Amino acid sequence: MEDYLNSRMVVEPFRMLDCCFPVNGAAAVVVTGVKQAKDCKRKPVYIHGMGQGHAGLPARAGYDRETTSGAKRAGKNAYKMAGIKAKDVSICEFYDAFSYVGIASLEAYGFCKPGEGGPFIADGHTAPGGKLPVNTGGGQLSGYYLQGMTPITEAVIQGRGDGGKRQVKKNDVILVSGNGGRLQFHGSLIMSPMEKLT
Amino acid sequence: MTKSFDDMFKGYIDAGELRVPKYKNSGEITGLSARNDLDDWEQEFKWVKASGNATLYSFVIFHQQYYDDRPVPYNVATVELEEGPRIISKVDIEDMADLEVGMKLKAKFNKKDGLVFVPA
C-alpha cells in the first residue's frame, strides 16, 4: 500500500500503479471440440458459456457509461448459456488494465451492488482464501499485461489445477472477462474443468 | 464535400457559439458524437444554440505532461449540457480542489482554449 500511495499521479485519481504496463510476450490456447479434446495429452478446460456486450459511447445525459459498461449484458448472456447464476462462480479472471475495472466488473457481473465493489475487495473476499478469488495470477496489474490472454491463460491454469501455490481448490466455475476501447466492448467466458456443470 | 460533424461543432466554437445537433423530424437533441460517420447529416440535423448552462458530470486532473503548451496539473471534465449532450472540456477554476461533481457550470469562450466552462 505504501508503494501505491507513493507512486506518482498520472491522471488523478489514477496513480502509476493503477495502470498496467504492456509487455511483449506470447501465449496460446488450443480451442477444439469436446470429443477431440478428450484425445489430448492434458485434461481440457471446458467453455460452457460466452457472451458479448457492446454498450457504445452514448455521450448523452442518462447513460452512465463509467459504471454500466457492456459487461452486464455480456455476463448475463454467458451465465444464461452456461445455465448458472453469479452466485455459482467460484473464481474470476478479469481484464483489469486499470485498477477500477476490477471493482466495476464485480458490480457488473452481479457479485456486489453498485458502489459496493470497493468495500467487497477491502473486506478480503477477492484475496487468496477469500470467498471469490479474483485474478489469481495477479491479473494484468500485478502479473503481466498480455491483453486478453492474461485472464484466459490463468483460467486454463486454474481449471487444470496447475496453479501450484496459488491454486484455488474450488475451481469448478471460472468467469473470464475481456474488454476493449474505453470499456464499450466486452466479452465473457464461463470455463470449468467439468464437462457438465449440473 | 460536406463538413464533418466535428468540424461543424468546432466551427461554431471558433465563432464563439455553442450549438448542439437536433433531429429535424423528432426534435430530439442528440449527442455530439452520435452521427460522426454520416455524410449527409445536414438533411437530418440542424444546429441549435445551447443555453451554455451545464453540470459537471465527471472530471480528472492530469499530472503527466503530454503537450508543451499545457502545463500540469490541468483538469479534463465531462460536462453535461442542459440540453442533454455531454462534452469533454475544461473547467476554468482558480483552485481545482473546489471541483465537485454536480456543480453548476456556464460556458465561456477564450482565445486559448475556445470553449471552457466556469462555475455558474
Side-chain angles (χ1 to χ4, degrees):
Chain A
M1 187 51 104
E2 208 172 309
D3 285 348
Y4 170 77
L5 291 172
N6 287 331
S7 71
R8 68 184 173 85
M9 280 289 183
V10 180
V11 175
E12 196 178 330
F14 291 90
R15 294 174 183 277
M16 196 181 74
L17 294 181
D18 284 300
C19 315
C20 70
F21 189 81
V23 295
N24 291 319
V29 288
V30 176
V31 182
T32 186
V34 171
K35 272 186 195 167
Q36 290 85 338
K38 282 176 180 161
D39 293 334
C40 293
K41 280 188 178 173
R42 296 294 313 275
K43 246 186 99 182
V45 179
Y46 296 90
I47 298 170
H48 289 275
M50 59 180 86
Q52 295 186 49
H54 310 302
L57 291 173
R60 293 192 60 195
Y63 294 93
D64 293 328
R65 71 181 195 219
E66 289 79 2
T67 51
T68 51
S69 69
K72 205 167 185 174
R73 178 173 293 177
K76 210 174 158 185
N77 290 342
Y79 290 159
K80 196 178 167 192
M81 192 187 284
I84 61 159
K85 291 189 166 16
K87 64 173 175 51
D88 301 317
V89 173
S90 45
I91 303 172
C92 294
E93 305 297 352
F94 288 141
Y95 191 115
D96 65 332
F98 298 93
S99 54
Y100 102 98
V101 181
I103 298 172
S105 300
L106 285 168
E107 296 175 2
Y109 281 101
F111 302 113
C112 332
K113 288 181 183 150
E116 291 179 1
F120 187 80
I121 293 169
D123 287 346
H125 298 310
T126 60
K131 65 178 179 186
L132 184 68
V134 172
N135 290 359
T136 46
Q140 295 168 332
L141 283 165
S142 305
Y144 59 98
Y145 180 44
L146 213 54
Q147 288 81 38
M149 290 312 284
T150 304
I152 287 180
T153 50
E154 180 63 14
V156 174
I157 289 166
Q158 288 291 336
R160 282 177 166 173
D162 286 348
K165 283 183 181 171
R166 69 172 191 272
Q167 179 62 43
V168 179
K169 270 191 191 160
K170 189 172 161 24
N171 65 346
D172 53 344
V173 183
I174 306 168
L175 166 67
V176 177
S177 78
N179 57 62
R182 282 171 280 166
L183 295 191
Q184 72 264 48
F185 310 114
H186 204 101
S188 319
L189 288 176
I190 301 294
M191 292 163 72
S192 174
M194 304 189 305
E195 191 180 341
K196 302 258 182 238
L197 283 184
T198 46
Chain B
M1 198 179 138
T2 45
K3 278 187 188 171
S4 80
F5 218 74
D6 274 358
D7 287 343
M8 285 296 288
F9 177 70
K10 286 175 196 159
Y12 288 123
I13 296 295
D14 289 343
E17 282 184 0
L18 176 58
R19 286 181 182 249
V20 288
K22 186 176 182 175
Y23 279 101
K24 285 180 180 170
N25 283 345
S26 67
E28 188 193 356
I29 288 171
T30 188
L32 290 158
S33 62
R35 303 297 295 271
N36 212 10
D37 57 339
L38 202 69
D39 286 335
D40 59 349
W41 54 262
E42 274 170 311
Q43 291 179 15
E44 286 192 46
F45 298 101
K46 61 179 176 183
W47 290 81
V48 296
K49 269 192 183 174
S51 68
N53 296 326
T55 307
L56 181 57
Y57 175 72
S58 180
F59 67 94
V60 291
I61 298 170
F62 276 60
H63 290 264
Q64 175 149 328
Q65 191 151 358
Y66 291 102
Y67 306 102
D68 291 341
D69 62 342
R70 298 269 164 195
V72 291
Y74 61 89
N75 68 73
V76 174
T78 303
V79 171
E80 185 172 302
L81 303 180
E82 190 175 54
E83 291 79 8
R86 290 188 190 140
I87 59 177
I88 308 286
S89 187
K90 166 185 165 179
V91 182
D92 222 342
I93 193 167
E94 223 163 273
D95 186 355
M96 280 194 284
D98 292 337
L99 287 171
E100 203 177 329
V101 167
M103 72 192 288
K104 296 291 168 205
L105 303 170
K106 185 104 191 120
K108 195 186 160 185
F109 292 88
N110 72 33
K111 265 192 181 167
K112 183 167 184 272
D113 301 298
L115 172 68
V116 295
F117 286 81
V118 293

